[in-house]
Amino acid sequence: MQQRNGSRRKFLQGMGALGVVVATAPYVKTSHSAGKLAIGTWDHWVPGANDVLREVCEEWAGSNGVDLTIDFITSIGNKLLLTAQAESRAETGHDVYCVPQWMPSMFRHRLEPVDDVVNDIISAHGALSPAAEFFAHLDGVWRGAPAPAGSLSYPSVSRLDLYREHAGIDLTSIFPAGGARNHELVDAWSYDSFLTAAHKLHAVGKPFGAPIAPTPDGNQWLGSLFAAYGAEVMDASGDITVDSDEIREVLEYLSRLTQYMPDSVYAWDDASNNRFMISGSGSTAFNPPSIWAVSSRDMPAVAEQLWHHDSPRGPKGRYRASAPFFWGIWDFSSNISAGKDLLRYLARKDVVDRLVAGSKGFDIPLITSHYQSNDLWKNAGPPSGVLYNYPIRGDEVPTTAGVPAPPEYGAQIFAQGILPNLVARVTQGGDTFDDAIGWAENEMEGIMRG
Amino acid sequence: MVDSSKTLGSSQPIRRGSLYIFLRQRSTIAFMMVLPLLLIIGCLVAYPFFYSIYLSTLNKAETAFVGISNFLFLFKRETFWMVVQQSVTFALIAVVFKALIGFIAAHAVNNIPSKGQRKWRGMMLVPWVIPPALSTLGWWWLFEPTYSSFNWILEALGLSAIPWLSDTFWARFSIILVNVWVGAPFFLIMYLAALKSIPEDLYEAASIDGASAWQKLIHVTIPMMRNIISITVLFSIIVTFANFDIVRVLTQGGPRNSTHLFASYSFRVGIESGDIPLGAAVSLFMFPVLAVLAFIILRNVRQRTVNI
């Protein structure tokens, strides 16, 4: 028994000495001394884009002593949103998370303010896209910083040969790849002239196609069309404004336009318009360059005739749907400072250029100066300059379905597909304008509940 | 009789503690054996159920208790009532067809000589065994809005294409069709087991009495299967009401919300729109109705069992 007591005393003495050594020893920097950082981000559809992002993040992690892991989470089946819901409720998971479009608003109470980061980025690199401010600057607080990948817009994607041959329109002269535009020609590209073209192209079996379903693509093109007519289901102050002349006007327009669209658009998903165009069946869609990229690989003859260009102009202006992506930091993250440093690093011009090249021009930086000084879109082809107008070059205003409603309501207008369903009720269901508007008002009241 | 409390070579009895005696009791052993299952049910069924009830009593921001306000709010929503109507129509039509097809198929398989029966049983169970999300994806390719394989065949035969997923009627038809395809084998296997448990003597006695095949079915087969039919239908109604994957993969609730069921609409409102309490209220809406239905059916089953 005596021996056992002696051993315990020695053990305690030893541990005490070790504690003193640890507490007083000089700090030794190890390869992971800045802690761990877990990133959950969107799984890019462009082959190789994830690899470039991983390389960039790992380079930063290596030079800053951070033990970094990065998970690419698909948006198919809304998995990116589902994972965010799970992590925000469980208060565990990644430290930095990708929050596209309306998600900063949905998770604003769980996202760490990043005003210092965004202010540093703006002062170093210049202004962000106006869409970025609308979606991520909430109640005077930035809840997300520009994501290194994913931000996109929805230009018109049209077949040059079909427009020339059947509609008598040369899109490359209206929206050239560089150089000055002819303002008269651009001004004449309105929804009325688009309707006329759609009629002619439908007559030769090459119609315009876009989903009228509550999918992101369906919301996006209808959002820009509604905005061009000044048609809002809710205004910026949160009042329901769906019962308006502008809404009736846009529904009237869509009643005519849908006559020249395939009947199946009411069941289309986000890939349907891609297949429609790549197969050579369609003449126009509203989409990022995925149609061109895939057809370049699978249907080069189609790809060589594609051209990205501005949306038509409506009575209230020209609008382009856009989906900005942000990276936010969960407030339960144990390494917020490392996350902020990473966000600053990813905004550097050299880093952004690498990432844009990795995405083959799919990603449009939210930092305006970064895309204005990048020639990648100008040089893409064939046809040469096909992507030049993919970033906004003219008078288009970025928008999306739900704008200008306050973000907490706009997110629900988008998610519940109020615009596509409103349109489908009239153009497919045969509802009168009043009945469809009455339905939308009822839905909007549901969205606004406290 | 050997006294188990003593060991050889020892004059002192070994004292058994009360814990030892407790652990040796049959009821304790039985409880310990079902404990893993109880834990699983507790964690994966009971806890989420009560948590969803709790969530459904909160306001949208989940900061205040609002009682049953979320349920009362749903009463005023046009789209929600459409979902109720669609869910009831979907569940009733699908269960009736599953039960009918399962019943006919069970008789057909039962009449196959036992040598080849196993092969047919296995093949007919395939739709039920494949994960529904995967098999529904296969169906989606067949129904694809623009390039449907079915429509390709129809057009090759000179017939008109059918808007399987873009028209309200056909979209509802499609999700019911896929649900029946997935669920009918469950009825088949349950009914087949019930058929095999009916004593052959009853049929022999009926034959001696001159009963026709139809009379045997009405007076022997169905009465003897009544309990299994009731339980199978109850189980299927509950599962069909809760269906999610078929709608999610095939139509995502469209066109114009006309194929939403409780689960898919709850997902749309709760997860995608960020209104978790209202989504929880949608998903719990049918619980009282199904609970009453389950009580009535199970009570009838119990009474019939006692009478037998």
Side-chain angles (χ1 to χ4, degrees):
Chain A
M1 289 301 284
Q2 192 65 33
Q3 181 61 37
R4 185 178 291 177
N5 284 342
S7 296
R8 187 172 63 199
R9 190 172 295 122
K10 279 184 181 173
F11 174 76
L12 289 171
Q13 286 170 346
M15 291 305 291
L18 184 64
V20 170
V21 169
V22 168
T24 58
Y27 178 66
V28 179
K29 184 177 167 86
T30 65
S31 61
H32 293 153
S33 58
K36 293 184 175 182
L37 193 71
I39 300 166
T41 190
W42 176 61
D43 184 12
H44 213 296
W45 78 269
V46 175
N50 288 347
D51 298 333
V52 178
L53 180 58
R54 187 193 299 278
E55 279 170 24
V56 165
C57 291
E58 285 177 351
E59 282 169 16
W60 169 85
S63 57
N64 287 277
V66 174
D67 181 9
L68 183 136
T69 55
I70 183 163
D71 296 317
F72 295 97
I73 302 164
T74 180
S75 54
I76 295 171
N78 250 341
K79 193 179 175 191
L80 192 68
L81 174 60
L82 286 176
T83 310
Q85 291 279 20
E87 292 191 2
S88 69
R89 298 187 80 77
E91 297 184 27
T92 186
H94 299 94
D95 298 286
V96 177
Y97 199 82
C98 178
V99 280
Q101 211 167 9
W102 293 107
M103 278 172 64
S105 168
M106 293 177 76
F107 298 100
R108 65 170 75 184
H109 303 298
R110 282 258 76 104
L111 290 170
E112 182 73 10
V114 287
D115 296 86
D116 48 347
V117 175
V118 177
N119 290 334
D120 288 350
I121 290 171
I122 291 172
S123 58
H125 308 291
L128 305 185
S129 156
E133 182 154 6
F134 178 82
F135 287 111
H137 195 224
L138 306 164
D139 300 327
V141 177
W142 285 95
R143 298 288 173 182
S151 294
L152 55 99
S153 78
Y154 289 74
S156 303
V157 191
S158 301
R159 281 279 298 271
L160 294 171
D161 53 343
L162 297 177
Y163 268 76
R164 264 192 219 111
E165 196 176 331
H166 304 294
I169 296 171
D170 181 9
L171 290 166
T172 54
S173 61
I174 307 174
F175 304 106
R181 289 178 169 188
N182 181 327
H183 290 294
E184 275 183 31
L185 287 177
V186 173
D187 204 45
W189 183 242
S190 66
Y191 275 107
D192 286 336
S193 52
F194 176 62
L195 183 69
T196 307
H199 184 188
K200 290 175 181 172
L201 291 161
H202 177 260
V204 295
K206 300 289 182 185
F208 152 66
I212 304 183
T215 66
D217 281 10
N219 270 300
Q220 295 289 16
W221 84 272
L222 288 172
S224 61
L225 175 55
F226 271 57
Y229 277 80
E232 300 170 353
V233 292
M234 180 184 281
D235 66 17
S237 57
D239 292 325
I240 298 171
T241 52
V242 65
D243 191 359
S244 68
D245 291 341
E246 289 82 3
I247 291 281
R248 285 180 170 76
E249 192 181 359
V250 80
L251 291 176
E252 173 63 36
Y253 175 80
L254 280 159
S255 299
R256 283 181 281 148
L257 181 63
T258 49
Q259 293 173 26
Y260 311 131
M261 295 170 69
D263 292 337
S264 57
V265 293
Y266 300 99
W268 277 17
D269 59 16
D270 287 345
S272 298
N273 50 0
N274 293 46
R275 285 192 289 270
F276 182 65
M277 290 294 290
I278 294 164
S279 67
S281 307
S283 53
T284 293
F286 291 97
N287 214 65
S290 50
I291 292 172
W292 173 75
V294 177
S295 54
S296 294
R297 185 190 63 195
D298 299 340
M299 295 284 282
V302 171
E304 286 164 13
Q305 295 297 334
L306 291 176
W307 197 252
H308 295 80
H309 59 92
D310 295 21
S311 307
R313 176 182 53 78
K316 297 290 164 58
R318 198 185 304 276
Y319 287 82
R320 165 92 66 96
S322 67
F325 276 49
F326 307 93
W327 274 14
I329 304 172
W330 292 126
D331 63 358
F332 49 80
S333 165
S334 57
N335 207 350
I336 289 172
S337 63
K340 288 185 172 181
D341 284 347
L342 174 63
L343 295 180
R344 286 189 187 92
Y345 174 77
L346 293 172
R348 280 173 34 174
K349 167 83 170 127
D350 58 324
V351 173
V352 170
D353 284 351
R354 267 177 76 188
L355 290 163
V356 169
S359 75
K360 299 179 174 62
F362 182 91
D363 300 337
I364 302 177
L366 291 181
I367 301 161
T368 313
S369 64
H370 285 358
Y371 80 73
Q372 285 174 337
S373 58
N374 192 325
D375 282 342
L376 186 140
W377 297 284
K378 187 178 181 180
N379 299 328
S384 179
V386 59
L387 297 184
Y388 178 78
N389 296 302
Y390 172 47
I392 291 176
R393 306 287 186 183
D395 59 349
E396 288 172 296
V397 179
T399 188
T400 194
V403 173
E408 62 269 31
Y409 301 136
Q412 294 182 75
I413 291 169
F414 191 98
Q416 297 192 27
I418 300 296
L419 300 193
N421 282 323
L422 172 64
V423 172
R425 279 181 167 261
V426 172
T427 58
Q428 190 203 27
D431 280 13
T432 63
F433 290 175
D434 287 341
D435 286 347
I437 287 169
W439 168 84
E441 279 184 319
N442 188 268
E443 290 293 297
M444 299 300 290
E445 286 164 12
I447 282 170
M448 291 180 69
R449 79 191 199 93
Chain B
M1 190 72 178
V2 177
D3 185 350
S4 63
S5 65
K6 293 179 180 178
T7 52
L8 290 172
S10 169
S11 57
Q12 293 292 321
I14 295 174
R15 293 197 307 169
R16 301 295 192 192
S18 56
L19 178 64
Y20 178 81
I21 294 167
F22 173 74
L23 289 175
R24 294 275 296 181
Q25 286 176 351
R26 283 184 164 214
S27 57
T28 308
I29 294 169
F31 176 75
M32 296 299 282
M33 291 180 80
V34 298
L35 189 59
L37 183 63
L38 286 176
L39 284 174
I40 290 171
I41 291 173
C43 294
L44 300 181
V45 179
Y47 171 72
F49 173 69
F50 287 109
Y51 187 59
S52 64
I53 291 177
Y54 164 72
L55 285 173
S56 70
T57 61
L58 300 177
N59 67 346
K60 190 175 179 178
E62 300 177 44
T63 53
F65 177 77
V66 294
I68 59 167
S69 295
N70 288 329
F71 294 94
L72 298 176
F73 180 80
L74 286 173
F75 286 128
K76 296 180 283 183
R77 306 261 62 84
E78 187 185 330
T79 304
F80 175 72
W81 282 115
M82 193 167 82
V83 171
V84 173
Q85 194 182 342
Q86 283 157 197
S87 299
V88 171
T89 309
F90 169 77
L92 292 182
I93 294 177
V95 170
V96 164
F97 276 97
K98 281 187 279 191
L100 202 62
I101 292 169
F103 192 79
I104 294 167
H107 276 80
V109 171
N110 197 37
N111 286 327
I112 295 171
S114 56
K115 192 182 172 189
Q117 204 179 90
R118 188 182 294 173
K119 181 176 63 185
W120 284 100
R121 247 182 0 226
M123 281 195 293
M124 294 179 93
L125 279 177
V126 167
W128 191 53
V129 174
I130 302 172
L134 283 181
S135 56
T136 308
L137 194 60
W139 278 99
W140 182 81
W141 285 327
L142 298 173
F143 290 140
E144 212 273 346
T146 313
Y147 306 105
S148 160
S149 309
F150 284 149
N151 282 343
W152 184 78
I153 294 169
L154 287 175
E155 285 171 349
L157 296 172
L159 301 170
S160 304
I162 292 174
W164 296 105
L165 303 178
S166 55
D167 176 78
T168 299
F169 170 80
W170 286 108
R172 287 172 175 159
F173 172 86
S174 301
I175 61 166
I176 290 172
L177 175 68
V178 177
N179 186 269
V180 169
W181 180 82
V182 171
F186 169 70
F187 282 80
L188 157 74
I189 204 73
M190 296 295 282
Y191 290 169
L192 191 61
L195 278 174
K196 288 187 179 301
S197 69
I198 298 172
E200 201 58 36
D201 306 1
L202 295 177
Y203 290 110
E204 286 171 10
S207 298
I208 292 166
D209 290 342
S212 64
W214 176 253
Q215 285 170 321
K216 284 180 196 169
L217 178 73
I218 299 298
H219 298 293
V220 178
T221 307
I222 290 179
M224 292 303 289
M225 287 177 70
R226 193 169 286 166
N227 276 357
I228 201 76
I229 289 174
S230 300
I231 291 171
T232 312
V233 165
L234 170 68
F235 181 80
S236 183
I237 285 176
I238 292 170
V239 171
T240 309
F241 262 112
N243 190 277
F244 174 78
D245 32 24
I246 291 174
V247 171
R248 184 71 189 161
V249 174
L250 219 53
T251 66
Q252 296 193 45
R256 308 193 314 273
N257 295 325
S258 63
T259 55
H260 266 309
L261 305 177
F262 284 112
S264 61
Y265 188 62
S266 168
F267 183 82
R268 171 66 50 84
V269 171
I271 303 290
E272 295 184 322
S273 300
D275 194 344
I276 299 279
L278 196 66
V282 171
S283 67
L284 287 168
F285 194 80
M286 281 303 287
F287 171 71
V289 178
L290 293 175
V292 169
L293 186 71
F295 176 77
I296 293 170
I297 290 178
L298 292 176
R299 192 183 60 178
N300 288 343
V301 167
R302 199 166 49 245
Q303 281 174 349
R304 271 199 297 274
T305 308
V306 169
N307 291 339
I308 290 170

